[in-house]
Amino acid sequence: MKSGTLIAFEGIDGSGKSTQLPRLAARLRAAGHAVLCSGEPWEGCEAGRRIRRMARSGQRVPARTELAWFVEQRRAHLRERVLPALERGEIVLLHRYYLSSVAYQGARGLDWREILAAHPAPEFPAPDLVLLLDLPPTAGLARVEARAAAAEPAFEERAFLESVREIFLALRLPSLARIAAAAAPAEVEREIARCVAQRLALPANTAGAEPAPGYS
Ligand code: TYD
């Protein structure tokens, strides 16, 4: 049985998930919590590695195949990494979870109901909190281009990301918090900490914990 807390970071490419996730982890650890950081696509299984190869090659597979691959890696990731940590009572911070499938495979034309139906509980637990880092694709892409990491052109065209963002913004879920992500990283970090403290009733010192090393 799940007794921990599941927090998912969502948002378009370049919205700051990779920057903010370790910062929140550091704050939560400073407040005494056990935290597991992980994310998708999870390369600990064949489906995750297949997705990475596809993204790097720029080749696409049909949307429904893509969805099946994401669901497959998610199932393995949950079983092998996420659920055991939740059972130990830890806080799990995920870089992307199933709302990425709703938004990205939805933007490729699949019906959101079909995508959600592929994620039944309890195998795919609903997140306790979704932090949706929101910013316009132009800004996100500028950040992606400025990064040294190899671009993944299959996923990163602007018009496509506009649709992805629209789907994210149309989601109406009580667990979802929209965070304005165009602000400076330190400001976004404080906003996220405030949101986590408020929504999950984690110890109040979360918001005032020492910043992560490398904080600027
Ligand atoms: P990600 O690791 O976020 O890419 P990066 O580290 O380059 O920002 O994810 C790779 C791509 O996979 C990203 O463009 C979004 C896409 N994706 C989906 O299309 N569906 C999904 O369910 C998930 C988890 C990711």
Side-chain angles (χ1 to χ4, degrees), residues 66-86:
E66 206 170 81
L67 174 63
W69 290 4
F70 277 110
V71 172
E72 191 184 337
Q73 63 81 36
R74 187 163 296 133
R75 187 176 281 119
H77 184 221
L78 283 165
R79 191 183 56 236
E80 290 175 38
R81 230 166 124 68
V82 177
L83 293 177
L86 290 175

Side-chain angles (χ1 to χ4, degrees), residues 13 40-41 52 70 74 95-96 100-101 104-105 155:
D13 306 82
E40 303 180 4
R52 280 285 173 216
F70 277 110
R74 187 163 296 133
H95 176 279
R96 297 193 183 278
S100 275
S101 287
Y104 281 78
Q105 279 60 60
F155 289 105

